[in-house]
Amino acid sequence: MKPVRHPDAPAPGDPLGAHYEHCFGCGPGQPHGLHLEARAGEGVALTAEFTVQPAHQGAPGLAHGGVLATALDETLGSLNWLLRTVAVTGRLETDYVRPVPVGTTLHLAAEVTAVAGRKIYSRAVGRLDGPDGPVAVRADALFVEVKVDHFIDHGRPEEIQAAMSDPDQVRRARAFEVNP
Ligand SMILES: CCCCC/C=C\C/C=C\C/C=C\C/C=C\CCCC(=O)SCCNC(=O)CCNC(=O)[C@H](O)C(C)(C)COP(=O)(O)OP(=O)(O)OC[C@H]1O[C@@H](n2cnc3c(N)ncnc32)[C@H](O)[C@@H]1OP(=O)(O)O
């Protein structure tokens, strides 16, 4: 089925913000995290940027492949907010096309391609030197919709409690709202 943008999704161009303060992908409170910043696009699509820091190296001076997969995962995961669905990554298939040096800003673009029941299919691409630059990484993903119980059942109680009392209302809504 064609994905449907939620009527209350952020307007195109609006920043999505972080879904969780301590998220390794987007959390502002995560010192060595990616601090990835996503903005809503048209339809069920978005763009994001991530600047590779020295803490993200694998080979000398180059981004670690797992960190780049994280950037893709985070970007793709952010799409679910445009559907107002809470979902987790079930499958992430990554192509590494060009090495990504430290200091580079990766320009990511992602879209949901289809929704089938709880399954959300999406894809993303990351480019060097700007939104129209050469492709460095690509991914196809399957996210699976979950209930908030997923986090309550599997997460550590101290972090769950802290997330539930996060004073940032948008962040709390992103964590807990399911198809409001
Ligand atoms: C209360 C406090 C909460 C605080 C939360 C704070 C913030 C959270 C808010 C939003 C943020 C959510 C996520 C984080 C956001 C961004 C970070 C990036 C995203 C991630 O980094 S997130 C972490 C990594 N992720 C996992 O930690 C998942 C571990 N995993 C599981 O938890 C289960 O595995 C699950 C739930 C995936 C499925 O389990 P399940 O039992 O619910 O469902 P089931 O197995 O029946 O699958 C249903 C249908 O999906 C198909 N399917 C499933 N897996 C597939 C695969 N791999 N390949 C192909 N098809 C697959 C089946 O084939 C079936 O298809 P069909 O219906 O057609 O038969």
Side-chain angles (χ1 to χ4, degrees):
M1 246 178 62
K2 208 169 163 293
V4 179
R5 181 189 176 92
H6 192 282
D8 298 331
D14 279 3
L16 263 51
H19 67 88
Y20 174 46
E21 170 78 16
H22 304 292
C23 172
F24 184 70
C26 66
Q30 188 57 261
H32 295 303
L34 275 53
H35 299 151
L36 183 131
E37 291 181 2
R39 280 179 192 277
E42 306 279 345
V44 191
L46 54 73
T47 56
E49 290 183 11
F50 150 57
T51 301
V52 182
Q53 304 295 334
H56 303 144
Q57 293 176 80
L62 293 176
H64 194 291
V67 168
L68 297 173
T70 303
L72 289 158
D73 187 19
E74 184 64 41
T75 303
L76 290 156
S78 301
L79 286 167
N80 300 316
W81 181 231
L82 302 178
L83 301 169
R84 288 284 178 110
T85 298
V86 177
V88 292
T89 324
R91 185 176 170 80
L92 180 70
E93 187 177 6
T94 309
D95 295 318
Y96 298 95
V97 184
R98 284 186 171 79
V100 180
V102 171
T104 303
T105 297
L106 199 58
H107 295 261
L108 296 130
E111 62 174 339
V112 175
T113 53
V115 175
R118 294 171 58 213
K119 295 183 289 187
I120 301 160
Y121 295 89
S122 52
R123 63 177 171 223
V125 62
R127 296 173 185 271
L128 306 173
D129 309 328
D132 300 316
V135 172
V137 286
R138 269 192 304 257
D140 287 297
L142 166 68
F143 280 71
V144 180
E145 185 178 349
V146 292
K147 303 224 179 304
V148 169
D149 293 359
H150 172 92
F151 304 100
I152 296 170
D153 292 347
H154 301 294
R156 283 205 307 185
E158 45 270 55
E159 277 92 356
I160 297 291
Q161 281 307 326
M164 285 174 97
S165 46
D166 190 328
D168 183 321
Q169 291 194 2
V170 173
R171 213 153 53 202
R172 241 188 6 240
R174 281 190 68 184
F176 303 119
E177 276 187 35
V178 183
N179 291 325

